[in-house]
């Protein structure tokens, strides 16, 4: 999903398309909420990295588009902007987990689920 040219800032993606790309291994979901929110409910396979812990040294999965997601889309948009400024191929999941649930997409809860670890 590489885009050509210089980064212009993050674009948006629907929850359904984000789910499709993540399940197909073409992208990685990055949940930028707090651990308690993530434990309550998150998208299958989402990696946890709270926005407040996102730094220039944060190592992210390589060669895959990063799909930033949060509760409603505000924090993920900030995270996507920060990552885009670093040259990361990133998209914001529009509407966050609220829109994800409204689209009827699957979710996991709890800390013992098989989803990815915190970064």
């Amino acid at each position: 999903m590489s885009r050509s040219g210089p980064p212009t800032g993050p674009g948006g993606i629907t929850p359904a398309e984000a789910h499709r790309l993540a399940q197909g291994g073409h992208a990685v979901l990055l949940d930028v909420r707090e651990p308690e929110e993530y434990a309550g409910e998150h998208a299958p396979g989402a990696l946890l990295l709270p926005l407040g812990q996102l730094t220039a040294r944060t190592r992210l999965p390589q060669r895959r588009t990063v799909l930033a997601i949060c509760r409603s889309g505000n924090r993920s948009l900030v995270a996507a902007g920060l990552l885009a400024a670093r040259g990361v191929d990133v998209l914001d999941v529009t509407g966050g987990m609220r829109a994800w649930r409204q689209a009827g997409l699957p979710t996991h809860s709890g800390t013992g689920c098989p989803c990815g670890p915190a970064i």
Side-chain angles (χ1 to χ4, degrees):
M1 285 203 72
S2 296
R3 289 178 235 144
S4 60
T8 58
I13 189 169
T14 67
E17 182 68 4
H19 178 62
R20 186 185 70 76
L21 291 175
Q23 291 300 299
H26 303 289
V28 61
L29 278 166
L30 184 66
D31 195 317
V32 298
R33 298 176 299 158
E34 294 301 313
E36 303 80 34
E37 294 173 283
Y38 179 89
E41 181 180 47
H42 55 271
L47 302 176
L48 175 64
L49 178 62
L51 179 59
Q53 295 177 17
L54 182 62
T55 69
R57 293 187 309 269
T58 302
R59 297 180 136 269
L60 296 170
Q62 300 294 311
R63 295 183 292 279
R64 286 196 289 167
T65 300
V66 173
L67 307 174
I69 191 167
C70 67
R71 181 178 57 88
S72 64
N74 294 321
R75 287 175 281 182
S76 60
L77 187 58
V78 170
L82 293 170
L83 292 171
R86 287 177 38 191
V88 174
D89 186 18
V90 60
L91 295 169
D92 173 54
V93 180
T94 306
M97 286 301 298
R98 285 181 174 173
W100 188 280
R101 278 189 309 281
Q102 288 175 343
L105 297 168
T107 61
H108 288 170
S109 61
T111 55
C113 78
C115 293
I119 293 181

